Amino acid sequence: MILLISRRNHAITIFQENEQQVLATGRWERVRRAGKQLWLCSHNNRQELHIRRNPCKWFQWSWNITYTLTFSRDLHPQEFRISCVKYVPPHWEMTAGEHTWHYFAHNGHAKSIFRDDRQVAGIDKDAFYWFNQEMMYIALNHEEEPLLIAGLALLFNLESNDDAEMFSVDLGAYYGPGTKKYDKTWRPR
């Protein structure tokens, strides 16, 4: 399954497989004293995913900050705790029940998500974007929940400004030679 995520400033639109079938819409905001928060709603305007930064002291470092992801697709909302395992290169962990998801950032734009030591999603984004509209592409296994994976991918990619820039270039990040290599042979099942 392929997800295309279009993000313009604070507005987010998630398409499934092509740019005609909208899976969800959402927004993100930087809330005073609470940090960034993300809301995703399904096509019938029902809020299904909310990510918020957990309260912390003002002097805590970024790698000590945790997030709570609330996924409410059915009557029983699930809460996931997201915490930093390693700040550079970025490695975040999301736990709920017996499953653990790992988010890895690689050199460049590539990112990957693993569930219990098995890769379930690969993430890439455009290096060039026009009028502050950024596109992200997620390839994921069919048995994975698309909004859960999209929420985790979006959480660490919300650092845009509100200026309507004509043309932007994102060269990606370089974390050094010890960074986990992105598996270019991985394909979704």
Side-chain angles (χ1 to χ4, degrees):
M1 176 184 312
I2 305 292
L3 299 179
L4 287 83
I5 300 175
S6 172
R7 187 172 63 87
R8 183 183 300 254
N9 294 332
H10 293 260
I12 298 165
T13 307
I14 302 174
F15 301 96
Q16 184 175 341
E17 303 293 342
N18 56 35
E19 291 192 38
Q20 296 160 355
Q21 184 180 355
V22 175
L23 179 69
T25 58
R27 70 185 194 290
W28 79 275
E29 292 178 10
R30 187 171 302 279
V31 179
R32 187 172 180 212
R33 293 190 180 146
K36 55 188 171 184
Q37 294 193 24
L38 172 69
W39 293 270
L40 292 178
C41 299
S42 63
H43 60 279
N44 58 3
N45 284 338
R46 186 172 155 257
Q47 181 178 319
E48 293 194 5
L49 186 127
H50 177 235
I51 300 177
R52 65 177 164 74
R53 188 172 116 177
N54 293 329
C56 63
K57 303 290 183 198
W58 64 269
F59 56 82
Q60 278 190 308
W61 297 98
S62 296
W63 55 82
N64 292 329
I65 294 172
T66 61
Y67 296 90
T68 299
L69 184 149
T70 306
F71 183 66
S72 54
R73 166 88 19 126
D74 52 12
L75 296 175
H76 307 310
Q78 292 180 291
E79 280 202 356
F80 299 86
R81 184 175 184 272
I82 303 170
S83 59
C84 183
V85 175
K86 190 173 180 186
Y87 193 66
V88 175
H91 173 197
W92 290 77
E93 185 176 82
M94 180 173 77
T95 56
E98 70 271 359
H99 294 295
T100 301
W101 286 261
H102 297 275
Y103 172 91
F104 292 100
H106 308 283
N107 288 330
H109 294 113
K111 283 121 181 117
S112 57
I113 297 176
F114 287 73
R115 180 169 47 111
D116 301 331
D117 300 324
R118 188 182 60 125
Q119 187 169 354
V120 295
I123 305 164
D124 201 0
K125 69 177 197 170
D126 286 343
F128 305 100
Y129 46 98
W130 297 89
F131 299 106
N132 213 15
Q133 181 171 356
E134 188 175 14
M135 292 295 288
M136 183 187 304
Y137 309 94
I138 303 175
L140 67 145
N141 291 342
H142 287 283
E143 68 269 6
E144 296 301 317
E145 183 57 54
L147 283 184
L148 191 67
I149 299 295
L152 187 59
L154 280 167
L155 175 63
F156 304 108
N157 192 44
L158 295 178
E159 298 301 327
S160 79
N161 53 15
D162 292 330
D163 300 337
E165 300 169 349
M166 176 77 146
F167 177 71
S168 296
V169 178
D170 182 0
L171 299 176
Y174 180 71
Y175 300 109
T179 306
K180 183 175 180 146
K181 300 277 188 227
Y182 182 73
D183 184 6
K184 293 180 182 180
T185 62
W186 178 82
R187 299 289 178 254
R189 294 192 250 160

